[in-house]
Amino acid sequence: MAREGRAMGAAGGELVTIGEFARLSRLSAKALRRYDELGLLRPALVDPVNGYRYYDPAQVEGARLVAWLRRIGMPLNRIGRVVALDAGAAAVEIRAYWARVESETAARRDLAMYLVDHLSAEGRTMSRMPDNGESTGKPENPGSAGTARSGGCGGSAGSAGAPTGLGVPVGLGVPVGLGAPGGLGASGGPGLPGGPGAGPVALAIRGAALTDIGVVRTANQDAAFAGPQLLAVADGFGEGGAEASAAAIGALKPSTWGRDGVLSSVDLLNALQDTADSAAGAVRDAVAPCETPDGSGTTLTAMLWTGSRLGLVHIGDSRAYLLRGGELFRITHDHSLVQSMLDDGSLSPEEVASQPGPALLLKALVGEARPAAAAVACRPDVRLQEVLAGDRYLLCSDGLSAVVDAAGLRAAVAAAEDPEEAVRRLVGLAREAGAPDNVACAVADVVVEE
């Protein structure tokens, strides 16, 4: 009798059969059975005698959400978390997932374009070989160093006063460019040592770094370093944040990842990625003793010097800037939810300051490779950056960039006589602005080696 009553209820519209629910939800019966097994979409009733599944028509909206999330490629385990959230929280989770997908897709796209450019240039070089019956001439200057990071690309050769590429000067009332200005590498540019007719010159970097606890925080989880081969900042978070930021930079200090003339651009990128992976491993080891390792981690923005180019490693919302020709260019792209909302137009630059709560990172170096609420463990972006004598680079945590606007950064970096003065000025500006977070910055000049 109970069984007969359930069947009548299904026929009366209170519950529907799996076949009818498949039609309503546009999911196959096979998919519905699979989602039941995984706990994503449980039937409202399962007949204990024959195992028939019955669904409440009110479940259709949730079933369609599962189908749509599968259509955008979201993994089943993440779908399980999304469908358990309320509508607002689910929207935030979906946005964070898609921003990560776009970031990783852009990184693969740019790496593909770099390989196309690299192989095309190699083909042109081969066509000029004496074996092909043509004069060798002077090799072309590689104005683009290529990239394997989201949103960036190298520019073509240009002078120091008129950098080319996708970079946009900071503070001009336009969106900050994602790509670095192109350069002439170690050959220099007009008006600089090593300009046209002067031949290649030896370049070096000279830098300084400084961290500050700020006005509000009781502990400093930021780290910064400046040496002859490395410029780096890291912004730690969570229980093991201080250990994570120190470990990330420490893993890069002994690096001998490549020297120009020994490794090709492709080999340099591979070696640079290996170096970035070593930093990720060091962070995991450093925060392993924490109670929740996946809740501790760090951002990392670092530049490694090869002798004529800089290798950039970037993950999180710390930033790198380039001062060239009096203009300040931002050459990294934040891996944050706010940045993704700026990118898709759902948030205006003026609305950024009104966003509540701490920054939600889409990418960071975290303790374990499983999903976490505040950060997703994934590989850092890497790229090669051409340089000019006279370039000045700024790396900083969001404790500086969040409270000092672009015009203030440019003025402080441009006015300083040397990197030491620059980092003192920058930390001073952050403290004047209230310094609600730890502050880390590193500044380096590209100079002609004596």
Side-chain angles (χ1 to χ4, degrees):
M1 182 64 69
R3 176 182 173 187
E4 182 179 337
R6 287 193 296 271
M8 290 178 63
E14 298 175 10
L15 298 178
V16 298
T17 65
I18 188 172
E20 177 63 12
F21 191 74
R23 186 187 67 79
L24 292 173
S25 64
R26 299 182 182 180
L27 288 170
S28 68
K30 180 179 179 180
L32 289 173
R33 287 191 290 269
R34 174 65 171 159
Y35 295 159
D36 179 15
E37 294 169 358
L38 295 174
L40 290 177
L41 188 62
R42 297 290 194 188
L45 175 69
V46 177
D47 192 305
V49 177
N50 58 30
Y52 289 167
R53 294 172 171 86
Y54 295 95
Y55 293 83
D56 189 327
Q59 293 179 277
V60 167
E61 185 175 353
R64 287 178 176 171
L65 176 59
V66 172
W68 291 331
L69 294 175
R70 286 298 293 155
R71 193 171 298 174
I72 67 173
M74 183 177 287
L76 289 172
N77 63 344
R78 189 159 186 169
I79 291 176
R81 297 198 304 276
V82 172
V83 298
L85 300 172
D86 61 49
V92 171
E93 182 73 11
I94 294 169
R95 181 185 293 278
Y97 167 76
W98 191 248
R100 179 183 175 186
V101 169
E102 288 185 326
S103 175
E104 293 175 348
T105 300
R108 291 194 296 270
R109 177 202 65 207
D110 291 341
L111 178 56
M113 292 301 97
Y114 165 71
L115 294 173
V116 169
D117 291 344
H118 172 77
L119 294 173
S120 298
E122 189 174 88
R124 289 194 298 271
T125 301
M126 290 298 294
S127 70
R128 294 193 299 270
M129 294 283 287
D131 289 346
N132 292 328
E134 298 180 11
S135 61
T136 57
K138 184 179 179 180
E140 293 182 0
N141 194 304
S144 172
T147 175
R149 63 174 289 277
S150 170
C153 62
S156 58
S159 70
T164 58
L166 299 182
V168 177
V170 172
L172 298 185
V174 293
V176 177
L178 308 186
L184 297 177
S187 297
L192 294 172
V201 297
L203 299 179
I205 59 171
R206 300 286 184 267
L210 186 62
T211 68
D212 189 84
I213 194 172
V215 175
V216 176
R217 296 295 179 89
T218 58
N220 191 354
Q221 294 185 310
D222 282 9
F225 180 82
Q229 294 177 324
L230 174 66
L231 195 71
V233 297
D235 182 355
F237 57 84
E239 177 190 355
E243 292 80 6
S245 60
I249 293 180
L252 302 183
K253 288 182 182 179
S255 175
T256 55
W257 61 279
R259 296 291 179 269
D260 281 353
V262 178
L263 298 179
S264 68
S265 293
V266 172
D267 288 337
L268 278 171
L269 281 172
N270 289 338
L272 188 58
Q273 186 66 71
D274 290 343
T275 301
D277 290 344
S278 71
V283 170
R284 288 194 294 272
D285 292 342
V287 303
C290 295
E291 185 175 345
T292 55
D294 59 340
S296 295
T298 185
T299 69
L300 176 64
T301 300
M303 306 192 85
L304 295 95
W305 179 240
T306 71
S308 68
R309 284 182 288 186
L310 284 165
L312 176 66
V313 177
H314 171 65
I315 188 167
D317 62 355
S318 294
R319 294 179 177 179
Y321 295 87
L322 164 63
L323 181 71
R324 178 180 289 178
E327 301 292 351
L328 190 68
F329 299 86
R330 181 172 141 203
I331 59 175
T332 54
H333 195 59
D334 292 351
H335 300 133
S336 67
L337 182 60
V338 166
Q339 182 65 60
S340 74
M341 295 173 70
L342 285 169
D343 293 342
D344 66 21
S346 59
L347 187 69
S348 69
E350 293 74 23
E351 294 171 321
V352 171
S354 64
Q355 291 302 295
L360 176 63
L361 296 177
L362 301 179
K363 292 173 68 174
L365 300 179
V366 296
E368 293 183 2
R370 66 184 187 216
V376 178
C378 38
R379 302 179 86 181
D381 299 336
V382 299
R383 59 176 278 183
L384 297 177
Q385 171 74 25
E386 299 285 0
V387 299
L388 291 174
D391 284 349
R392 175 169 285 181
Y393 287 89
L394 162 65
L395 276 57
C396 66
S397 65
D398 69 335
L400 176 64
S401 60
V403 297
V404 179
D405 63 19
L409 293 177
R410 191 201 67 79
V413 174
E417 288 291 329
D418 52 38
E420 289 80 4
E421 181 184 345
V423 294
R424 289 195 298 270
R425 282 175 178 257
L426 292 165
V427 169
L429 287 175
R431 293 190 68 87
E432 289 174 11
D437 197 359
N438 304 148
V439 182
C441 58
V443 175
D445 291 340
V446 180
V447 300
V448 177
E449 195 167 25
E450 296 295 336

